[in-house]
Amino acid sequence: MPGNARRPTSAREVTALLARVSHDEALALIERYATDPRTQVQRAIRSAKRRLVMEESERRRVEGMYELQRSLGGDGLVMGVDEVGRGALAGPLTVCAVALPQEPKIWGIDDSKQLSPARRLELAARIREHALAIGTCHVEAASIDAVGIGVAVRMAMAGAIEDAGVEPDCVLIDGRSVRAHPKEKALVRGDARIAAIAAASIVAKVTRDKMMVDYDLTYAGYHLASCKGYGSAEHIRAIREHGLTPLHRASFCRKFMNA
């Protein structure tokens, strides 16, 4: 127990403490109460051991993301880049570029699609706190219609890297190469394997989701706050009933308008 804090005595106190203390404190408590005869305490110890196993597995996963990042990107400034909104019917294509230090690690970081909205918000705040650089670029619907989504992705990635305000020694992107930067390397499922790409996916998702929630106030009836511009049944029905807004990618929506 830290400092001169009173040691827990009741089974309820021990159980509550085991559920919330840090990894090292939990190990100490497990050792201290290993022979405690109370059923509730032994049940809490078993639960704490399961939690520690999961936490250790999670730490190894995240450490692996940083190790692979260093292996591919080297010891210089490594920037991860990812996009969100590629397949949406409305709203911008959003790309973020993030450079992370090797320490402190952002525990819990992952592909944004694997995280709850609340967890993404929490991690985005930690990423912004510790990142060496962050850049963002949006390509709006009219530009996507004009140049096509492939060119729009390249434009947005190059724009996000420039917006970060630093010159990277290596740029790691998710998926296939798009030639957005001369030092670019692409990795399939990079958003789940590289720390900086995962960070970029989280910041991009949080940023774009907030934009779509705000747009919902202006373009009521299109369910943008819930569908985030993607092709939900309610969104498609609204397009057919009310037509397109300036947020909509006409080239993506023709099949719904003509049906």
Side-chain angles (χ1 to χ4, degrees):
M1 295 294 294
N4 297 318
R6 181 180 67 84
R7 290 189 176 187
T9 55
S10 73
R12 179 177 294 181
E13 286 179 312
V14 175
T15 298
L17 199 57
L18 278 168
R20 69 173 186 267
V21 294
S22 69
H23 182 278
D24 290 343
E25 290 171 327
L27 287 175
L29 284 170
I30 289 170
E31 182 178 359
R32 180 180 303 150
Y33 290 98
T35 59
D36 191 299
R38 290 172 291 184
T39 301
Q40 185 176 355
V41 171
Q42 290 305 311
R43 188 183 303 120
I45 287 175
R46 290 193 294 273
S47 178
K49 286 181 177 179
R50 289 193 295 270
R51 174 171 67 87
L52 293 182
V53 168
M54 293 176 63
E55 288 178 356
E56 288 167 0
S57 175
E58 171 64 9
R59 289 178 75 89
R60 287 194 297 270
R61 182 188 68 79
V62 174
E63 286 170 349
M65 296 176 76
Y66 279 86
E67 289 169 6
L68 183 57
Q69 175 176 303
R70 188 168 186 173
S71 174
L72 292 176
D75 293 325
L77 186 71
V78 180
M79 186 166 288
V81 181
D82 201 12
E83 52 78 21
V84 65
R86 181 192 291 257
L89 306 179
L93 171 75
T94 297
V95 170
C96 279
V98 176
L100 293 176
Q102 283 292 315
E103 297 291 344
K105 291 180 171 58
I106 311 295
W107 302 113
I109 202 168
D110 202 349
D111 170 12
S112 64
K113 296 184 292 295
Q114 303 302 315
L115 303 168
S116 69
R119 186 64 168 148
R120 285 196 294 263
L121 285 171
E122 176 189 341
L123 288 169
R126 289 167 55 194
I127 291 164
R128 292 188 183 280
E129 178 183 358
H130 297 294
L132 300 173
I134 296 179
T136 305
C137 184
H138 307 285
V139 177
E140 302 299 335
S143 295
I144 295 171
D145 284 335
V147 302
I149 191 64
V151 174
V153 169
R154 187 182 309 122
M155 289 168 48
M157 287 192 171
I161 295 167
E162 182 179 0
D163 186 61
V166 296
E167 183 55 40
D169 296 297
C170 180
V171 173
L172 300 176
I173 71 167
D174 179 40
R176 298 178 179 177
S177 176
V178 298
R179 303 185 308 279
H181 192 276
K183 297 177 181 177
E184 171 187 312
K185 294 181 180 179
L187 185 69
V188 175
R189 293 192 67 250
D191 51 3
R193 300 168 65 191
I194 300 291
I197 301 178
S201 78
I202 291 167
V203 176
K205 177 66 173 167
V206 168
T207 300
R208 187 180 183 278
D209 280 1
K210 175 62 166 58
M211 293 176 67
M212 300 311 295
V213 170
D214 291 343
Y215 280 137
D216 189 65
L217 300 175
T218 304
Y219 300 101
Y222 288 87
H223 309 279
L224 299 178
S226 58
C227 74
K228 305 302 186 292
Y230 287 88
S232 69
E234 294 82 4
H235 187 192
I236 292 171
R237 184 161 55 247
I239 291 172
R240 288 171 171 160
E241 292 177 358
H242 307 298
L244 303 181
T245 73
L247 294 180
H248 283 93
R249 307 170 189 179
S251 57
F252 284 37
C253 298
R254 291 193 185 103
K255 59 183 177 181
F256 306 121
M257 299 298 293
N258 297 330

